[in-house]
Amino acid sequence: MVAKLYSATVIGVDAYPIEIEVNLTGVSTISVKESSISIVGLPDAAVKESRDRIYSAFVSSSFMPPKGFTVVNLAPADLRKEGAAFDLGIALGLLGASGSVDTERLGRIAVLGELGLDGSVRPVKGALPIAAKLAEEKKISALLVPEVNAREAALAANGKIPVFAVSSLIQAVELVNRGHGTPVKAALGDLENVGRNCDFDEVKGQLAARRALEIAAAGSHNSLLVGPPGTGKSMLAMRLPGILPPMTLEETLETSRIYSVLGLLSSETPLMNTRPFRSPHHTISDAGLIGGGRDPRPGEISMAHNGVLFLDELPEFKRNVLEVMRQPLEDGIVTVSRASGSCRFPARFMLCAAMNPCPCGRGEIELGCQCKAEEKRRYLKKLSGPLLDRIDLRVPVRQLSEAELLKAPDGESSAVMRARVCRAREIQQERYAKYGFYCNSQLTPKALQEFCELPASGEKLLKDAINRFKLSPRAYTRILKVARTIADLAGAANIGDEHIFESINYRKGDLE
């Protein structure tokens, strides 16, 4: 007897529907143990091991293991199947082939779940992209998922198909046979938007750095904080996500898909509805940063998608690790290629980096710096020109005076700064609606000519800057983009001399 049902597998961050076919021949040529079940369709070791988990789950749940030789086919056969998410689907297929489960109902459902030896159903990775993909399949009328994954699956399915939470093999069988169970209902409005407990009103002084980070947030620009240790570079960077606009539904689902594939979503946090902030250690590898592995998985830059990637002590990162960020910084996508194929991971993030001005960190003789000029040059040479070219704002973070340290913080709150950032972003979204992007950092060459026209005096300022600082064409366009953002924050329709002048100052920074 043949039983069929559906499941799915994840490759990269994309889901692919899988059809599970189970054929029980009834010919008992071998013992009824693991060797009596043959799983085909390019399964990995974890999928093959499901035979033992299923056999134990059957015994624990008082189900009779199938007798005779059984073939389980995971179609399409040329697509690699990984992980334990097929356990529950294969188990239901075996019970259907042996007559314990209604095969007609079984053929219209999709199933995800890893089985415990006691028959319990454990959570799986990638439930969100899988549910979103299966919801598009017209032949599927219901989706069974582990209890922990139920809310994220229901949110991804968006009411297109009912999603049922199961906690055991027995419950799954009853649900298929008798239809007992209530679909999981979840709406984005039910999710609490929990922000980071960091506010700019806790920062003392650093008005110039606060202004630069506001500009960075308003136009989604990359920034580099340069200053001595203990001046608040990390403190400032940690507050950057708090002044970014709220995530849109599209951004929420994009980011959540990455965290779902990595198994970082839970029943309490079924979606990533706050801007991510990732801060990897400087010992990270290139694969850890951009993603990779034998079976490619997203890295830190993809986990920072639609949020902030903070690299503290930037020159201490290995040079090859930093260089692999060049293409994602430009395109917002990282492609990881392996012998088995290639995967594309979204990676549109704001880079905020921090560094000391010299090896000792003090930077100035008045602060006790004894670094020689050659030592400073070698230290700065750890950062390549092409990488620095992709950083829009170089922000000096100075040592606070005694008076600033002793007085209470008196700067603006993140809420006030965020309101200005949101107004600037709204201007940009309206301006670029027909272009398919939403902020100044994404300006294309054609849009740059249309929206960044300069007065004659502004052109002279920019020409002088090009000659003095030997700016590359990329640096020139990024100065224009930052100037456009500064004008948007000021509510100006056109870029003025003051906007160009401020943008040039951020380009120079403290690295000259």
Side-chain angles (χ1 to χ4, degrees):
M1 184 176 180
V2 177
K4 296 182 181 180
L5 69 159
Y6 297 92
S7 189
T9 189
V10 174
I11 299 178
V13 293
D14 297 317
Y16 298 86
I18 299 295
E19 184 174 352
I20 300 175
E21 299 176 302
V22 180
N23 184 18
L24 180 60
T25 63
V27 180
S28 184
T29 57
I30 48 182
S31 61
V32 184
K33 287 189 179 179
E34 64 170 7
S35 57
S36 64
I37 300 176
S38 175
I39 301 178
V40 298
L42 213 58
D44 71 348
V47 178
K48 291 179 180 178
E49 289 170 354
S50 67
R51 294 176 299 196
D52 300 318
R53 292 190 293 272
I54 291 170
Y55 184 86
S56 179
F58 276 2
V59 173
S60 299
S61 305
S62 301
F63 290 117
M64 181 66 67
K67 295 182 179 180
F69 185 71
T70 305
V71 178
V72 177
N73 181 38
L74 306 177
D78 60 347
L79 196 65
R80 184 172 177 82
K81 320 303 186 306
E82 301 172 357
F86 300 103
D87 286 5
L88 183 57
I90 294 174
L92 291 176
L94 289 168
L95 292 172
S98 61
S100 300
V101 172
D102 187 328
T103 54
E104 184 179 350
R105 290 184 177 178
L106 195 63
R108 299 195 300 269
I109 68 170
V111 181
L112 296 175
E114 175 185 346
L115 280 176
L117 300 186
D118 60 352
S120 61
V121 178
R122 294 173 175 170
V124 298
K125 297 179 180 179
L128 191 146
I130 288 175
K133 183 67 177 178
L134 292 176
E136 301 171 2
E137 297 290 316
K138 296 181 180 178
K139 48 195 172 185
I140 294 173
S141 60
L143 173 61
L144 273 61
V145 298
E147 209 164 23
V148 174
N149 301 121
R151 287 188 71 198
E152 63 175 291
L155 286 164
N158 197 25
K160 294 178 182 177
I161 57 172
V163 176
F164 296 91
V166 293
S167 58
S168 67
L169 177 59
I170 295 174
Q171 183 185 2
V173 171
E174 291 178 350
L175 187 61
V176 176
N177 282 337
R178 302 181 181 86
H180 291 169
T182 304
V184 178
K185 294 182 180 180
L188 286 173
D190 300 333
L191 300 178
E192 184 181 356
N193 195 327
V194 181
R196 298 176 61 85
N197 295 322
C198 300
D199 200 294
F200 269 100
D201 63 8
E202 301 168 333
V203 179
K204 295 183 178 182
Q206 305 298 359
L207 295 181
R210 290 161 60 102
R211 163 70 175 171
L213 290 181
E214 183 177 325
I215 294 169
S220 192
H221 300 291
N222 303 319
S223 56
L224 173 61
L225 305 174
V226 185
T231 52
K233 300 187 295 294
S234 299
M235 186 179 188
L236 287 162
M238 289 176 64
R239 282 150 180 77
L240 182 54
I243 62 173
L244 292 174
M247 293 180 75
T248 64
L249 175 59
E250 181 182 1
E251 289 174 332
T252 297
L253 293 175
E254 282 179 353
T255 306
S256 300
R257 183 173 62 167
I258 297 166
Y259 281 75
S260 177
V261 167
L262 294 171
L264 298 177
L265 295 180
S266 66
S267 57
E268 291 77 24
T269 56
L271 286 183
M272 284 288 296
N273 61 333
T274 55
R275 301 275 178 186
F277 179 84
R278 304 296 302 178
S279 180
H281 193 262
H282 64 258
T283 56
I284 192 172
S285 66
D286 51 356
L289 188 66
I290 70 165
R294 184 178 65 85
D295 302 313
R297 290 289 182 267
E300 288 288 340
I301 64 174
S302 292
M303 294 176 72
H305 183 60
N306 292 320
V308 176
L309 177 69
F310 177 51
L311 301 183
D312 200 7
E313 304 295 346
L314 188 64
E316 302 304 323
F317 284 78
K318 296 175 184 176
R319 188 170 181 126
N320 67 298
V321 173
L322 294 178
E323 295 306 301
V324 297
M325 286 199 304
R326 288 195 205 172
Q327 179 249 339
L329 281 172
E330 290 289 330
D331 303 334
I333 294 175
V334 59
T335 303
V336 179
S337 298
R338 294 293 182 267
S340 58
S342 62
C343 296
R344 287 163 61 90
F345 302 129
R348 189 166 297 283
F349 58 92
M350 281 179 58
L351 173 64
C352 181
M355 62 177 287
N356 298 325
C358 63
C360 78
R362 295 179 178 87
E364 299 177 13
I365 296 176
E366 294 81 359
L367 298 176
C369 177
Q370 297 181 351
C371 296
K372 298 178 181 178
E374 182 59 30
E375 291 176 326
K376 290 184 178 181
R377 278 195 294 270
R378 279 201 304 269
Y379 182 71
L380 295 178
K381 281 291 183 182
K382 292 182 179 181
L383 305 177
S384 70
L387 178 64
L388 288 174
D389 237 10
R390 289 168 167 82
I391 297 177
D392 304 338
L393 296 93
R394 301 172 188 175
V395 185
V397 183
R398 61 182 180 81
Q399 191 80 32
L400 296 181
S401 66
E402 181 180 313
E404 288 174 315
L405 282 173
L406 292 176
K407 74 176 184 179
D410 58 356
E412 291 179 323
S413 68
S414 292
V416 174
M417 298 172 68
R418 189 186 202 189
R420 290 196 295 264
V421 168
C422 288
R423 283 196 295 270
R425 286 286 187 104
E426 288 169 3
I427 292 171
Q428 294 165 48
Q429 288 172 359
E430 183 178 348
R431 181 193 297 140
Y432 307 134
K434 66 176 182 180
Y435 285 87
F437 52 86
Y438 60 88
C439 59
N440 290 326
S441 66
Q442 300 171 341
L443 275 165
T444 61
K446 182 178 180 180
L448 198 72
Q449 291 181 351
E450 181 177 351
F451 298 112
C452 295
E453 188 176 352
L454 302 178
S457 53
E459 288 183 354
K460 184 180 184 306
L461 271 175
L462 201 48
K463 181 179 179 181
D464 292 343
I466 292 172
N467 293 330
R468 180 179 177 185
F469 302 120
K470 310 300 180 187
L471 299 178
S472 68
R474 182 186 289 113
Y476 162 77
T477 60
R478 288 181 179 262
I479 286 176
L480 285 180
K481 293 176 182 179
V482 172
R484 179 67 268 176
T485 299
I486 296 171
D488 289 339
L489 278 170
N494 299 311
I495 298 175
D497 293 355
E498 65 278 16
H499 309 138
I500 286 287
F501 186 76
E502 185 176 1
S503 180
I504 291 170
N505 278 337
Y506 288 128
R507 192 70 196 179
K508 177 178 176 293
D510 263 10
L511 298 183
E512 301 299 331

